[in-house]
Amino acid sequence: MRLHHASLIVSDTQRALAFYRDVLGLTVDQTRPDLGYPGAWIQVGAHQIHLLELPNPDPLTGRPTHGGRDRHLALQVESLEGLVGALDDAGIHYTLSRSGRRALFCRDPDQNALEFIEQPLV
């Protein structure tokens, strides 16, 4: 089997979309049904991230500085170069993988940790 989607809690769907759609360049799946509460479905290749707008139960402070030491969602990218430029342009802090591999970690506006692993598609 394989992963179908992952859900992330966000406090403001539009603010989250400004990150996932506008900074990361991911698209919103408009075909998903309205579930009766705010949120959005973000397409990541053949899979999705479901953004759920709820009061965020996780503390926004006191989390590890490096997202690799926190629960996180890992995404594969062909190259880190464009991502680094987009994060720099948006003023979003990131850290490089401490293992020396081509990967970086950042956080969305609700402090959800994301890992981006450079692994060209074959």
Side-chain angles (χ1 to χ4, degrees), residues 6-107:
S7 294
L8 296 175
I9 295 173
V10 300
S11 60
D12 182 315
T13 300
Q14 293 309 310
R15 184 178 71 163
L17 287 175
F19 175 76
Y20 288 95
R21 181 192 58 215
D22 303 340
V23 175
L24 299 183
L26 300 174
T27 58
V28 177
D29 182 350
Q30 301 291 349
T31 68
R32 298 299 300 225
D34 180 355
L35 298 177
Y37 52 85
W41 291 88
I42 305 297
Q43 201 65 42
V44 183
H47 309 289
Q48 295 182 325
I49 297 172
H50 188 190
L51 302 176
L52 304 168
E53 184 176 318
L54 297 167
N56 197 332
D58 294 326
L60 299 180
T61 59
R63 307 281 287 277
T65 303
H66 183 63
R69 294 200 59 226
D70 200 354
R71 60 182 173 264
H72 61 274
L73 178 63
L75 303 171
Q76 179 182 347
V77 295
E78 287 194 57
S79 171
L80 290 176
E81 305 311 318
L83 175 61
V84 165
L87 295 174
D88 285 343
D89 289 348
I92 296 171
H93 175 76
Y94 58 88
T95 56
L96 299 177
S97 175
R98 293 180 176 172
S99 71
R101 63 195 167 90
R102 297 278 300 160
L104 69 78
F105 293 82
C106 70
R107 292 184 180 275

